[in-house]
Amino acid sequence: MVRIRVLVVDDHRIFAESLAAALAAEPDVDVSAAGSGPAALRCLERAVAEGRRFDVLLVDADLGAAAGALPAQRESGSGPPPGVPDGIALVAGVRVSHPGVRTVVLAERDEPRRAALALQAGASGWVAKDCSLSRLLAVVRGVLREETHLPPALLTGVLRELTAARKHRTDSERLVESLTPREHEVLRCMVAGLGRKDVAARLFLSPHTVRTHMQNVLGKLGVHSTLAAVALARRAGVRPAELAGDVVERSGQLA
């Protein structure tokens, strides 16, 4: 019998333990539980090291503990935008660090916008916490067959949200494409969180020149703040400038 390894991630201990016990009663399911995003990531890494990878994560949409920013997620800029619930942030992190693991979000309420965010982050399903055990097992087995599961009542709303998100991304991509190569580099530095002086040092420009480039970037993107420019850039898929090598390089030059 092929066994399914499931990890329940929920900071409500009683719920997590009850769900884990119910799933463990199934003859083909092995289940563990974690109470936070960081704990879940440690479980995943430990399982990989021991050669017994998890197949499915069941993640609380309202996970209270920080999901743990993964280095790979930070470097690739593939994480969700600021303000995304921690459970969904964990889904995005797992997609980067453990792409073979399927994730299903467990939710108290049916919310089209958050369900769409979960799918964009890499989730394979959105399920009500109060659904029957048989329904949850059907979803777990379904996502392992590459199926995507949503409550029927959410389908229209989720499709509307995904269509709107695609339009916003397309509009953002068009604006970013209007930037010159130098302005694009400046934008990538802004996405990486660099201030004007750090951008100047990285690109070997004067702070005054960088200020002019930043003003041009804001003008072309049609925004009035660095924060808004970064949010638009993230929607357009702009990756942050790589910083680690630059620090070494600049340190060597200063020496």
Side-chain angles (χ1 to χ4, degrees):
M1 179 185 298
V2 177
R3 302 188 69 80
I4 303 171
R5 300 204 68 233
V6 177
L7 179 61
V8 177
V9 189
D10 197 304
D11 53 1
H12 294 84
R13 181 177 177 182
I14 294 177
F15 175 83
E17 290 180 349
S18 298
L19 179 56
L23 290 170
E26 295 296 312
D28 63 338
V29 177
D30 290 328
V31 62
S32 300
S36 69
L41 295 174
R42 289 193 295 271
C43 286
L44 289 171
E45 294 297 338
R46 186 164 58 249
V48 169
E50 296 173 355
R52 49 184 188 87
R53 301 170 186 267
F54 284 98
D55 300 301
V56 179
L57 255 67
L58 301 178
V59 182
D60 178 19
D62 298 308
L63 194 64
L70 298 170
Q73 188 178 351
R74 290 196 300 267
E75 291 170 6
S76 67
S78 61
V84 168
D86 291 322
I88 297 176
L90 176 62
V91 171
V94 170
R95 177 181 62 178
V96 173
S97 60
H98 301 277
V101 177
R102 299 289 175 264
T103 56
V104 175
V105 176
L106 304 177
E108 298 261 355
R109 301 169 300 280
D110 282 346
E111 300 176 77
R113 181 176 179 276
R114 295 180 71 197
L117 283 173
L119 293 182
Q120 289 175 309
S124 297
W126 177 280
V127 181
K129 278 191 169 185
D130 60 359
C131 75
S132 67
L133 181 61
S134 61
R135 166 64 180 161
L136 182 58
L137 287 167
V139 171
V140 167
R141 294 186 172 109
V143 299
L144 290 175
R145 297 192 296 268
E146 306 295 335
E147 297 173 1
T148 299
H149 284 259
L150 285 172
L154 273 182
L155 285 176
T156 300
V158 168
L159 287 174
R160 186 183 300 117
E161 291 287 340
L162 292 175
T163 300
R166 179 62 252 180
K167 181 180 184 301
H168 290 156
R169 180 177 175 88
T170 301
D171 292 343
S172 299
E173 289 171 343
R174 189 177 301 113
L175 290 170
V176 168
E177 287 172 359
S178 72
L179 302 179
T180 67
R182 176 62 81 186
E183 289 165 352
H184 193 273
E185 276 300 306
V186 170
L187 179 60
R188 291 186 67 220
C189 291
M190 294 164 66
V191 173
L194 296 182
R196 189 189 310 165
K197 290 183 179 179
D198 289 330
V199 176
R202 173 190 166 84
L203 301 180
F204 306 105
L205 300 171
S206 72
H208 175 74
T209 300
V210 170
R211 181 172 181 270
T212 299
H213 282 313
M214 286 183 165
Q215 289 175 337
N216 289 341
V217 168
L218 295 184
K220 289 184 178 181
L221 297 185
V223 296
H224 301 287
S225 70
T226 297
L227 191 61
V230 169
L232 187 151
R234 290 287 299 271
R235 285 199 301 270
V238 175
R239 295 190 175 189
E242 300 290 343
L243 301 181
D246 295 335
V247 172
V248 174
E249 182 180 346
R250 281 161 50 192
S251 298
Q253 291 171 347
L254 291 174

